[in-house]
C-alpha cells in the first residue's frame, strides 16, 4: 500500500480523487488530506435535510456529495481526512477502525469505536466514517476532528427542507439521515500540545512502522488530468451536489 499526502484543500478535487483512486488506480492506497470549509454529504442523502443553506452561502462553504453512503460531515483545516482503498473480496472495515484507535493511543488519546465505526472519547465523537465496495475494491474513509471550529460545524449542519424547491429538487420516498452526535476535538485530550503537521507526521510514521504503507506516491500528470476532469464533470456540479435524487 502506498501513501499519498494530498496537499489540495479543494473539496471538489479531493472527492474526485477518492473516486478516481477507487475506480482506476492500480495500487492499494492510503491518502491523508484536508478540505477548506466544506460540508460533505453521503451519496444517498437529501442535501436540504443536512445543511443550513443561508449559513453556508453567507460563508462560502462548499457542499459536496461523496461516492460513499453515510451521513453529513463538516470539514475545515482543523480536520484531517484519511482514506484506505484496498483490493479485497472480503472487506474487513473494522480493522481500519481498530488501527485508528491504536494510533490515537500512541499520542495519549483514549479513543473507543462505536457501533457505526466512529470514534469517541468519553462519549464525545471525534471521528465519523463511511465505507463502500466497488468491483472487488473497498474504500474506508473517515474524519479526525483535531482542532475543528465546532461552532461552525454545528451551524452548518442544520437542515431546512423548505429550500429544496428553489433548486428544482424532486422528492423521493426515502433518504439516509445523519445521526447527530455530540462532538469534540482531539486536541482537548492530548497530554501535551501537538501541532497538526506533527500529528500528520505521526500518522505516517505509525503506518510505516506497522507496515501498513510501504512508500509514498505523488499524483502523476495523468492522474491529475483524470481527477480534474472528474471534478469538473461531476463533483463541482450543482446537479451532483444539490439536485441528484438517486445518485449513480
Amino acid at each position: 500500500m502506498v501513501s499519498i499526502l494530498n496537499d489540495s484543500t479543494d473539496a471538489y478535487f479531493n472527492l474526485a480523487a477518492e473516486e478516481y483512486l477507487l475506480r482506476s488506480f492500480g495500487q492499494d492506497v492510503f491518502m491523508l488530506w484536508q478540505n477548506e470549509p466544506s460540508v460533505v454529504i453521503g451519496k444517498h442523502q437529501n442535501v436540504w435535510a443536512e445543511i443550513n443553506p443561508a449559513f453556508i452561502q453567507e460563508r462560502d462553504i462548499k457542499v459536496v456529495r461523496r461516492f460513499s453512503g453515510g451521513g453529513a460531515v463538516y470539514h475545515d483545516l482543523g480536520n484531517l481526512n484519511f482514506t484506505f482503498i484496498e483490493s479485497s473480496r472480503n472487506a474487513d472495515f473494522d480493522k481500519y477502525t481498530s488501527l485508528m484507535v491504536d494510533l490515537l493511543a500512541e499520542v495519549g488519546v483514549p479513543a473507543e469505536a462505536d457501533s457505526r465505526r466512529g470514534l469517541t472519547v468519553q462519549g464525545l465523537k471525534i471521528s465519523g466514517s463511511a465505507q463502500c465496495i466497488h468491483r472487488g475494491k473497498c474504500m474506508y474513509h473517515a474524519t479526525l476532528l483535531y482542532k475543528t471550529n465546532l461552532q461552525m460545524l454545528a451551524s452548518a449542519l442544520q437542515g431546512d427542507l423548505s429550500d429544496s424547491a428553489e433548486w428544482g429538487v424532486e422528492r423521493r420516498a426515502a433518504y439516509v439521515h445523519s445521526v447527530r452526535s455530540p462532538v469534540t476535538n482531539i486536541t482537548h485530550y492530548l497530554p501535551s500540545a501537538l501541532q497538526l503537521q506533527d500529528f500528520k507526521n505521526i500518522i505516517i510514521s505509525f503506518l510505516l512502522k506497522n507496515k501498513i504503507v510501504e512508500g509514498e506516491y505523488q499524483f502523476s500528470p495523468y492522474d491529475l488530468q483524470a481527477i480534474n476532469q472528474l471534478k469538473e464533470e461531476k463533483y463541482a456540479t450543482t446537479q451532483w451536489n444539490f439536485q441528484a435524487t438517486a445518485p449513480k
Side-chain angles (χ1 to χ4, degrees), residues 29-50:
V29 61
F30 168 80
M31 184 169 70
L32 190 62
W33 49 287
Q34 292 173 274
N35 279 338
E36 63 194 347
S38 314
V39 172
V40 178
I41 66 168
K43 183 175 183 179
H44 302 293
Q45 291 196 290
N46 182 332
V47 62
W48 303 106
E50 307 300 331

Side-chain angles (χ1 to χ4, degrees), residues 40-43 45 50 66 68-73 129-130 176-179:
V40 178
I41 66 168
K43 183 175 183 179
Q45 291 196 290
E50 307 300 331
R66 64 177 176 267
S68 64
V73 289
S129 70
V176 173
H177 296 282
S178 297
V179 178

Side-chain angles (χ1 to χ4, degrees), residues 96-198:
Y96 304 114
T97 310
S98 297
L99 189 67
M100 299 315 292
V101 169
D102 293 342
L103 164 68
L104 290 166
E106 287 218 347
V107 294
V109 178
E112 297 179 339
D114 65 22
S115 60
R116 294 185 297 277
R117 302 189 182 97
L119 300 178
T120 63
V121 181
Q122 297 178 4
L124 300 175
K125 195 166 187 176
I126 58 168
S127 174
S129 70
Q131 309 85 36
C132 69
I133 297 173
H134 177 76
R135 295 183 178 178
K137 297 179 75 175
C138 63
M139 178 170 71
Y140 174 97
H141 51 181
T143 60
L144 283 173
L145 295 173
Y146 192 75
K147 198 175 182 180
T148 293
N149 186 325
L150 299 182
Q151 184 175 356
M152 289 280 286
L153 180 154
S155 297
L157 297 177
Q158 292 181 355
D160 185 357
L161 287 170
S162 65
D163 289 287
S164 61
E166 172 186 344
W167 293 81
V169 175
E170 297 178 8
R171 297 298 181 91
R172 70 178 187 184
Y175 293 91
V176 173
H177 296 282
S178 297
V179 178
R180 308 295 183 187
S181 303
V183 295
T184 189
N185 279 313
I186 290 169
T187 51
H188 294 159
Y189 301 93
L190 291 171
S192 57
L194 187 67
Q195 295 299 313
L196 181 56
Q197 184 58 52
D198 294 328

